[in-house]
Amino acid sequence: MNSRSIPIPRSVGFILPLMMALSCCAARTPAVIESMPALYDPLYKPDEVRPGRLEYAPDRSTFAPILTERFPYPTQSEANSAYRRLLEAARPNPHYPASVWLFGCGPGALDGPTARIRHYGGPIVHCATDFLDAAGNRPRRETVNFSYYARAWHMRPVYPPRTTVPWRSHEHSPKDVWRWLPGRGRYE
C-alpha cells in the first residue's frame, strides 16, 4: 500500500457494493417482455364450484365467475396468455380487442357447424368470453373454446351458425290414428 493512497472507511466499503446490488434489483424489465405470453400454463382445477362464490387457483389468480362443474379451466391470466398466443399467430391488426375476460365456462367444446357441445376426454372447455378494448369496455361477448395441450392453454374462436339448424324446423311428428287404443305406445 502506498503512503499517498487515501484510506477508504470501512462503512463506505460495505455500503457501496450493497447500493450497487440493490440498484440492479430495482431495474424494471421492458414492457415488451411483460406483454409476452407465458410459455407454459399450469393446469388448475377449482376446489369447489358453488353458485355466487369466486374460485381461486393456487397462485391466487381467479377462474371465471360462473363455472358449471369441477373441471380444469383456464384462469383469467391464462386466458389472456392464450389470447396473446393467438394474436401472435395472426396478422397484425389495430382493431383487435386488447384483452379478454372469462364470464362463464363449462366442459366440452362448442362445435361450430352444429352449434352443439361435444365432450372430449381431455381438458377442453368452452367459455363465454368478453372481448375488452383498451379502455376496459366490453364491445362483444362470444363463446370461445379453450384447449390445454403442450403444457399451455390455447384459444380457438368458434363461429356457430346464426340461423336455426335444419333439424329444428317446425315439422310435426306423424300422428297415429289408433293412438287412443289401450296398450299402444304413447310416442311412436
Side-chain angles (χ1 to χ4, degrees), residues 72-89:
Y73 296 109
T75 61
Q76 299 287 1
S77 58
E78 290 170 347
N80 275 299
S81 292
Y83 178 62
R84 287 194 301 268
R85 279 187 210 100
L86 181 68
L87 289 182
E88 283 181 356

Side-chain angles (χ1 to χ4, degrees), residues 5-168:
S5 64
I6 301 173
I8 300 176
R10 287 183 184 239
S11 61
V12 174
F14 172 71
I15 292 176
L16 187 60
L18 178 66
M19 289 177 56
M20 288 175 57
L22 290 177
S23 68
C24 292
C25 293
R28 292 186 47 91
T29 57
V32 174
I33 293 175
E34 290 177 358
S35 67
M36 296 293 293
L39 293 177
Y40 302 110
D41 295 326
L43 187 61
Y44 292 134
K45 186 186 293 189
D47 291 334
E48 294 180 53
V49 175
R50 285 193 282 168
R53 181 172 180 244
L54 188 61
E55 293 295 325
Y56 294 91
D59 66 352
R60 303 305 297 160
S61 57
T62 60
F63 289 104
I66 299 171
L67 303 174
T68 59
E69 63 184 77
R70 192 168 182 268
F71 196 78
Y73 296 109
T75 61
Q76 299 287 1
S77 58
E78 290 170 347
N80 275 299
S81 292
Y83 178 62
R84 287 194 301 268
R85 279 187 210 100
L86 181 68
L87 289 182
E88 283 181 356
R91 290 181 301 202
N93 186 346
H95 300 294
Y96 286 144
S99 63
V100 296
W101 188 80
L102 301 178
F103 177 72
C105 294
L110 178 67
D111 187 21
T114 63
R116 291 185 175 189
I117 303 298
R118 293 186 60 194
H119 293 278
Y120 299 93
I124 298 173
V125 298
H126 63 283
C127 296
T129 306
D130 295 332
F131 289 87
L132 307 175
D133 60 9
N137 298 322
R138 180 186 65 140
R140 68 182 192 271
R141 177 180 289 170
E142 295 179 10
T143 302
V144 175
N145 292 333
F146 288 92
S147 57
Y148 187 83
Y149 64 90
R151 295 176 44 195
W153 284 101
H154 297 277
M155 181 177 177
R156 300 289 175 244
V158 181
Y159 305 104
R162 301 283 184 201
T163 61
T164 31
V165 289
W167 59 84
R168 296 284 311 237

